[in-house]
Amino acid sequence: MVRTGSVAGPTLAVVAREAGVSVPTASKVVNGREDVAPETRRRVAEALDRLGYVKRPRFDASKSPGLVDLVVHSLESSRSGAVLHGVEEAAHEAGLEVVVSAGLPRTRGGRPERGWLDKLSARGSSGVLFNLAELTPPQYAWLEQHRIPYVLIDPELEPPAGVVSVGAANWQGGMSATEHLLTLGHERIAAIGGHRRRMCSGARIAGYRSALAAAGVRHRPEYVRHGNFDPAVARRRMREFLDLPEPPTAVFVCSDRMALGVYEALAERGLRVPDDISVVGFDDLPEARWASPGLTTVRQPLAEMAATALRLLVRMMAGERPEGTRTELSTRLVERASTAPPRDRATEGLGTAGG
């Protein structure tokens, strides 16, 4: 059974993992919701009892915020999983409950659907965290009109003035990735960005260019292409690099998922990482560790960013206003087996190796 009292003990994320369900499903069981299958309810209940989960007491809305919403683009990616983990851990420490939604339904005019707004109002949510591609101007206007505190986690576009957001030091990450390759002796370094207009992608490519300039290495326009954060597009971009008269000896890829597409393109040509070409990614998702060889990448602290956003939101719900609107957390290079010094022998004809 679920016990009330102290907030010590396993978090809801631990219970969900033990029962083999999502955190939102475990939350439904804890809060007595009926829209859960009997077998799922049984597994969650057994996990709750086995782990000794302690349900936090309900809060008086006049004394504590109690409930916040988290809206993510999708619940299926490892990236969203890291965000959810960070928010859930920080919410547990703060004694808050979190309601998770996948996507923000819109009307044709771009406004949040009335049903979602009614639910937000009915459950008494005191604040919202958004980890979405973007919000529309009508959605920003609705939030401001209803005076609902909110924080953006890793926004992809520059938010309006005054909107509070938490992100990563993308420029520094792009620079450290490129400096690593330069230190290994590479000079023909290509880069595959994400979407051209997205803030994080632009900053990472700017860091790459800054590192080349600082090292006195000539920037080659043909060495920069965009993969739209899509592994399939990144695979095509890598093929294009390999077909150049002077192909690169290393490539900085602005996401781990795109880097896996680069791996595929190289394998198709019979090329090996890092023997023939070194590869650096960005994010440090679990996929980076599972890749073969393990992917050298820039760690973006997604869970820490989400936790920081939750703490900022709590302050805003208490009537405080953060000193600045943009908080950036440091990135760091994680070295694995996908980078090495360039081969001493000439690499002309590299693009046609293996077929």
Side-chain angles (χ1 to χ4, degrees):
M1 62 182 294
V2 180
R3 297 191 292 273
T4 59
S6 168
V7 296
T11 65
L12 197 57
V14 173
V15 172
R17 187 163 55 247
E18 177 75 10
V21 301
S22 67
V23 173
T25 297
S27 178
K28 289 179 181 180
V29 175
V30 169
N31 291 296
R33 293 270 296 274
E34 296 181 358
D35 52 338
V36 180
E39 174 60 22
T40 301
R41 184 182 300 279
R42 181 190 63 78
R43 292 206 318 272
V44 173
E46 289 179 354
L48 290 167
D49 189 60
R50 183 164 59 252
L51 296 174
Y53 177 78
V54 179
K55 182 180 178 182
R56 293 182 290 278
R58 288 292 179 183
F59 287 84
D60 182 342
S62 65
K63 299 178 180 179
S64 170
L67 185 69
V68 297
D69 271 65
L70 168 64
V71 186
V72 297
H73 178 69
S74 168
L75 290 172
E76 298 178 357
S77 69
S78 54
R79 178 185 178 86
S80 293
V83 169
L84 182 57
H85 175 73
V87 169
E88 201 277 336
E89 290 290 328
H92 181 77
E93 294 173 2
L96 301 175
E97 297 287 351
V98 180
V99 175
V100 182
S101 303
L104 186 58
R106 302 177 184 176
T107 64
R108 288 187 176 180
R111 297 179 178 81
E113 283 187 358
R114 186 71 239 178
W116 189 85
L117 301 180
D118 288 340
K119 291 177 182 178
L120 181 69
S121 176
R123 60 178 165 254
S125 186
S126 298
V128 188
L129 297 172
F130 291 104
N131 183 216
L132 295 169
E134 60 181 296
L135 293 176
T136 65
Q139 289 168 349
Y140 281 120
W142 184 90
L143 291 163
E144 295 295 338
Q145 178 185 355
H146 291 77
R147 298 185 178 181
I148 295 178
Y150 64 97
V151 177
L152 308 184
I153 302 171
D154 194 26
E156 295 181 353
L157 302 178
E158 186 73 34
V163 173
V164 178
S165 67
V166 178
N170 291 295
W171 180 88
Q172 184 60 49
M175 189 160 186
S176 64
T178 310
E179 286 176 338
H180 170 67
L181 294 169
L182 289 164
T183 300
L184 289 173
H186 293 277
E187 292 190 355
R188 303 210 307 268
I189 304 171
I192 299 179
H195 291 283
R196 291 178 182 271
R197 70 190 190 104
R198 290 190 182 175
M199 188 167 56
C200 63
S201 179
R204 293 168 193 176
I205 294 297
Y208 153 82
R209 288 176 171 153
S210 295
L212 292 180
V217 175
R218 178 172 63 92
H219 164 62
R220 306 187 187 201
E222 70 273 20
Y223 274 9
V224 177
R225 312 205 177 194
H226 290 79
N228 301 336
F229 293 115
D230 184 331
V233 178
R235 185 169 66 248
R236 294 198 296 272
R237 297 295 175 259
M238 191 66 231
R239 290 173 186 154
E240 294 168 4
F241 286 146
L242 295 175
D243 290 335
L244 290 172
E246 193 172 31
T249 62
V251 58
F252 164 50
V253 192
C254 287
S255 83
D256 290 346
R257 293 185 65 248
M258 287 200 301
L260 298 182
V262 167
Y263 271 35
E264 293 176 5
L266 296 174
E268 290 169 359
R269 299 290 181 95
L271 301 173
R272 293 176 298 175
V273 177
D275 297 356
D276 297 303
I277 294 186
S278 290
V279 181
V280 179
F282 203 109
D283 284 331
D284 196 27
L285 298 176
E287 293 92 321
R289 299 191 296 274
W290 302 335
S292 180
L295 179 65
T296 294
T297 187
V298 177
R299 181 177 184 272
Q300 183 174 209
L302 291 167
E304 293 91 333
M305 288 157 54
T308 298
L310 188 281
R311 296 184 187 109
L312 285 171
L313 183 63
V314 169
R315 289 173 52 193
M316 293 168 66
M317 291 188 295
E320 299 181 31
R321 187 70 183 175
E323 294 180 2
T325 57
R326 172 72 175 180
T327 299
E328 285 194 352
L329 302 190
S330 298
T331 55
R332 67 178 178 86
L333 186 75
V334 179
E335 294 186 42
R336 296 193 177 97
S338 68
T339 52
R343 286 189 169 186
D344 292 331
R345 65 179 177 80
T347 56
E348 282 78 12
L350 185 63
T352 57

